[in-house]
Amino acid sequence: MNYDLVDEEVAKYASETIVQVDEATSKRLKRMIDKRVLAIMIGTYLVQTLDKGTMSFASIMGIIPETHLVGTQYSWLTSIIYIVILLVEWPENLIIQRVPIAKWLGLNIILWGITLALHAAMKNFAGLVTLRAFLGLFEAVSQPTFVLLSGMWYKREEQAGAVIYWYMMNGVQQIIGSLLAFGFSFIPSTAVINSWQALFMTYGIITVFWGAFVLWWMPDSPMKAKCFTEEDKKLMIERVRENRTGVQNRKFRKDQIWDAACDPQVYAFALIQLFLTLPSGGLGAFANIIIKSFGFTTWQTQLLQMVSGAVQVTAMLSAVWVDQRTRQTILPMMASVVPTIAGTIVLMIVPFEPKKRVGLLFAYYIMISFWACSGLALSLVTRNVGGQTKKTVVIAVNFVFWATGNSIGPQVFQTKDAPRYFLALAIILGCFVLLLITLGALRTYYIWQNKKRDGKIERGEALADVLYTHALEDITDRENVNFRYIY
């Protein structure tokens, strides 16, 4: 092992060669990690998606007329979050590589909870858009942190599940958020505060308390986890050694930036995020408006969004089940996009009439299947990128394009196109067709790279690291001939 390429904290707990962890011990350790880390990622992402979803529910609860929003101002309240995330993503990723990650996460959760609660006091667009910008600043920490944590604590074969479990909170939010919004809708108009104000205040206060819990409960890394014994810390390092993607390294390596710039998969990740989030960003902001335009009442719309969440969760759980059973990731990603394309076409060609609302609603529901692709896309990043500096760059690029898509998405839904939003649906359809092409190309690239590396070892041009001696060294996936891509 080259200790110059191994993080000092990791080196204290790592053996020279791999220590085999038996299955029973590995399961015990995973349960401990799930309790301390996965539970926090799931809870935090649920809180974040609930917080983000408040604006969509508030849109049909009176916030638009009561804060005097006109034209595209409502769309900008969603877009501004992702524009800010886009701007802060690179420094955010540099920060989380260098600071105690759990403490940084907890602090930001508390700050965005306060920001959310303050929405209730706003009376105009200027106040709301300012708070939404700060919300984007504080919420930018979540997804990059979770992608990093999923790769740090979990084995490669476990990472698809770990990512899906926290990412599917987007769907759970639709269920819980719809039910809560339905309840808040019963606040009478004569009350001291409006229903949408109560919604923001309640979620904001809950978020602050959750942030405080995260500060207390979550460890920063396997090496600094006071809640685990020294022996368990060593075994936690060893159980992820086979990943060959490292655990932690705080040294910034400029050569890994160039490696990322020359890596085709990085550009594929960026396009995948853009083609996924442009549709999801627009649909997320306008979902309630679209469903209501089918001919449903406000209360019916809120309850029907619960079904949307259930479909989303089912699609994502099905995807991770297929991934784990078949050891295929990109093929189920591609399969999940096909129903989405079909549903989009139906919404484009069928008139929005009350007598056709059941069929239109079904078409909207099958569109949601693409969320399975979204979750697995992030697991490709955690499993197929080696080198800590490179991983920081790739995660930053990934979420810059994630934020770009989410900021553009609401803007393609123009008021003049309501209620059909034909142009927006046409753009969404184009995104999913391009997504299929990108996924097919990425899978072909992975297969070619794996065969190329197998050939080098078979011909004796490189040595097989069967004892995983160099697995914890801070080298990139492209530099490591023993690294194999998962597809």
Side-chain angles (χ1 to χ4, degrees):
M1 185 188 296
N2 183 352
Y3 284 95
D4 290 336
L5 295 173
V6 180
D7 183 80
E8 291 182 5
E9 292 178 5
V10 175
K12 292 177 183 178
Y13 291 92
S15 301
E16 186 67 29
T17 58
I18 192 169
V19 174
Q20 294 296 334
V21 181
D22 64 82
E23 187 175 352
T25 302
S26 183
K27 288 182 177 179
R28 177 180 66 82
L29 294 173
K30 183 177 181 297
R31 286 194 296 271
M32 294 166 64
I33 294 167
D34 287 346
K35 181 180 177 181
R36 287 281 177 171
V37 181
L38 184 60
I40 291 297
M41 292 195 293
I42 290 173
T44 301
Y45 206 63
L46 175 59
V47 168
Q48 183 179 22
T49 53
L50 281 169
D51 292 351
K52 283 183 177 177
T54 51
M55 188 57 69
S56 179
F57 289 115
S59 69
I60 57 174
M61 296 170 71
I63 191 173
I64 293 176
E66 288 169 21
T67 55
H68 316 293
L69 301 181
V70 295
T72 60
Q73 288 182 340
Y74 170 74
S75 298
W76 278 108
L77 294 180
T78 297
S79 293
I80 190 63
I81 290 180
Y82 299 104
I83 292 173
V84 172
I85 291 175
L86 190 156
L87 294 175
V88 303
E89 198 60 53
W90 174 248
E92 186 70 56
N93 276 272
L94 289 178
I95 290 170
I96 62 177
Q97 189 183 10
R98 287 167 171 75
V99 302
I101 197 166
K103 307 300 184 293
W104 181 245
L105 176 64
L107 174 63
N108 278 274
I109 293 171
I110 291 171
L111 290 174
W112 95 53
I114 294 170
T115 303
L116 190 74
L118 289 173
H119 279 58
M122 296 301 104
K123 302 296 183 182
N124 53 43
F125 173 73
L128 284 172
V129 78
T130 301
L131 285 179
R132 302 298 283 180
F134 277 103
L135 197 62
L137 174 65
F138 301 132
E139 290 190 353
V141 68
S142 293
Q143 288 186 317
T145 297
F146 295 165
V147 170
L148 205 62
L149 290 171
S150 298
M152 176 190 295
W153 290 91
Y154 289 96
K155 298 166 70 173
R156 287 179 96 190
E157 59 266 30
E158 298 167 349
Q159 287 175 23
V163 172
I164 286 287
Y165 293 145
W166 60 260
Y167 202 64
M168 75 178 187
M169 292 304 105
N170 282 291
V172 176
Q173 177 269 142
Q174 293 287 351
I175 301 172
I176 298 177
S178 297
L179 192 60
L180 290 175
F182 179 73
F184 279 108
S185 296
F186 286 96
I187 294 177
S189 57
T190 55
V192 176
I193 58 174
N194 296 313
S195 57
W196 63 268
Q197 292 175 311
L199 192 69
F200 280 114
M201 290 177 62
T202 303
Y203 284 7
I205 293 169
I206 291 172
T207 300
V208 170
F209 280 105
W210 176 257
F213 176 74
V214 171
L215 287 172
W216 171 69
W217 184 254
M218 186 180 183
D220 292 306
S221 69
M223 296 76 69
K224 290 188 174 181
K226 295 180 181 179
C227 51
F228 303 139
T229 66
E230 292 298 297
E231 181 61 25
D232 281 343
K233 291 179 186 180
K234 293 178 182 179
L235 294 176
M236 286 177 181
I237 298 297
E238 293 298 332
R239 76 184 289 272
V240 298
R241 191 171 188 145
E242 294 182 18
N243 292 355
R244 298 189 189 274
T245 54
V247 176
Q248 170 186 288
N249 201 294
R250 302 193 188 281
K251 185 174 181 179
F252 189 81
R253 303 182 192 278
K254 293 181 180 179
D255 59 301
Q256 292 191 10
I257 298 178
W258 179 249
D259 188 293
C262 297
D263 192 348
Q265 70 167 334
V266 177
Y267 298 94
F269 292 153
L271 290 175
I272 289 168
Q273 285 302 319
L274 181 64
F275 296 147
L276 281 169
T277 56
L278 195 154
S280 66
L283 291 172
F286 285 83
N288 286 302
I289 295 173
I290 291 172
I291 292 176
K292 190 174 181 180
S293 69
F294 294 161
F296 295 103
T297 66
T298 297
W299 288 356
Q300 288 172 333
T301 299
Q302 289 167 339
L303 294 176
L304 289 171
Q305 273 290 62
M306 295 175 64
V307 182
S308 301
V311 173
Q312 192 171 324
V313 170
T314 301
M316 298 179 82
L317 288 176
S318 299
V320 75
W321 182 85
V322 172
D323 177 278
Q324 293 173 346
R325 287 297 184 95
T326 66
R327 301 300 180 195
Q328 293 285 338
T329 300
I330 294 181
L331 287 180
M333 289 172 68
M334 297 174 73
S336 71
V337 175
V338 175
T340 300
I341 292 175
T344 305
I345 292 173
V346 170
L347 293 185
M348 290 177 67
I349 62 177
V350 177
F352 285 15
E353 299 174 356
K355 65 180 180 181
K356 297 179 179 178
R357 61 181 182 177
V358 175
L360 290 167
L361 185 63
F362 179 77
Y364 173 77
Y365 285 154
I366 65 172
M367 281 182 68
I368 298 171
S369 66
F370 77 89
W371 278 96
C373 184
S374 299
L376 291 179
L378 291 178
S379 77
L380 288 177
V381 177
T382 66
R383 293 184 284 180
N384 287 336
V385 179
Q388 291 304 305
T389 301
K390 179 179 179 180
K391 188 175 291 185
T392 298
V393 173
V394 174
I395 292 174
V397 170
N398 189 76
F399 286 109
V400 162
F401 278 81
W402 173 86
T404 300
N406 274 302
S407 60
I408 294 172
Q411 300 304 317
V412 303
F413 284 82
Q414 295 293 312
T415 305
K416 62 183 177 62
D417 297 326
R420 293 295 304 276
Y421 297 110
F422 185 87
L423 177 61
L425 292 174
I427 292 172
I428 287 173
L429 179 62
C431 284
F432 286 122
V433 172
L434 292 172
L435 176 61
L436 286 177
I437 296 171
T438 304
L439 288 171
L442 181 60
R443 187 174 189 275
T444 302
Y445 172 76
Y446 282 153
I447 293 171
W448 171 61
Q449 280 291 314
N450 285 353
K451 288 182 177 179
K452 183 180 178 181
R453 296 171 190 214
D454 288 340
K456 284 185 177 182
I457 292 176
E458 289 171 1
R459 293 190 300 269
E461 297 174 11
L463 295 176
D465 183 19
V466 294
L467 296 178
Y468 296 90
T469 304
H470 304 287
L472 295 174
E473 294 175 5
D474 190 20
I475 56 177
T476 70
D477 52 282
R478 299 208 321 154
E479 294 172 322
N480 188 354
V481 72
N482 290 284
F483 189 92
R484 295 296 178 273
Y485 295 103
I486 291 177
Y487 56 85

